[in-house]
Amino acid sequence: MLPRFLKSGLAPLAAAALLAFAAAAAAFAHDDHHPVQTGQTAEESAFLAENDTAMTKMMNDMAAKPSGDIDRDFVAMMAPHHQGAIDMAVIELRYGKNEQLRRIAQEIIVEQRQAIDAMKLAIGEPVTASAPAPTQPGPAPAAAHDHAAHDHKNMSHEMKN
């Protein structure tokens, strides 16, 4: 059975739209993920360079070699994806000025770390010790570390139930 738009004679229009979308995507893929701007500040250049590095690392790390265990392969691909979000959020905290976006970036860091830990726990891998984001000075306060350890124990307990 043909889709309704093919029966109505819209197939050429749909094909043209699909081709235009594919051409735009291909053109974007050849770009450095950001438009060249004249008069770019040193801060903007540093932001874009760090973001490009984070994106490249994420994409490379997501290309995990299949292990034969679908669950482990899923975690091997998704953990770098979530880490990429963390890395980009840290860059926002380093350079961003908008307080609302900075709060969102902080939430991304917390939530994505929790997602990585939950995935690791689900396949029996140890979780990474919590540490402050690189935009924060010094080690994490003991109370924050104790709270994070408590959260990990709760996550592990909840996943077993």
Side-chain angles (χ1 to χ4, degrees), residues 1 7 15 29-30 41 46 56-57 61 67-68 76-79 83 86-87 99 103 111 119-120 141 145 149 151 155:
M1 175 174 248
K7 292 178 185 176
H30 291 289
T41 66
T56 300
K57 180 180 182 337
D61 290 350
S67 69
M77 290 181 283
M78 287 303 293
Q83 183 61 51
I86 292 168
D87 295 344
E99 286 305 314
R103 281 192 301 274
E111 291 166 1
M119 286 186 284
K120 286 182 174 184
H145 179 70
D151 286 348
M155 254 197 256

Side-chain angles (χ1 to χ4, degrees), residues 40-148:
Q40 215 173 55
T41 66
E43 187 175 55
E44 177 75 2
S45 294
F47 166 78
L48 292 172
E50 286 186 40
N51 197 60
D52 190 49
T53 299
M55 292 284 289
T56 300
K57 180 180 182 337
M58 177 185 70
M59 295 304 289
N60 289 340
D61 290 350
M62 285 174 52
K65 184 177 179 181
S67 69
D69 181 332
I70 292 170
D71 295 326
R72 288 192 177 282
D73 292 348
F74 174 75
V75 173
M77 290 181 283
M78 287 303 293
H81 177 68
H82 286 271
Q83 183 61 51
I86 292 168
D87 295 344
M88 287 181 272
V90 167
I91 296 166
E92 168 62 21
L93 291 175
R94 201 173 286 147
Y95 296 101
K97 307 290 187 261
N98 182 303
E99 286 305 314
Q100 185 177 4
L101 292 176
R102 291 175 55 79
R103 281 192 301 274
I104 291 169
Q106 290 169 336
E107 291 172 11
I108 287 169
I109 292 168
V110 171
E111 291 166 1
Q112 298 301 308
R113 282 185 176 162
Q114 289 174 345
I116 292 169
D117 288 348
M119 286 186 284
K120 286 182 174 184
L121 286 170
I123 60 170
E125 287 186 8
V127 297
T128 308
S130 64
T135 59
Q136 301 171 353
H145 179 70
D146 292 344
H147 179 69

Side-chain angles (χ1 to χ4, degrees), residues 11-32:
L13 180 59
L18 184 59
L19 184 59
F21 178 74
F28 179 74
H30 291 289
D31 187 11
D32 286 334

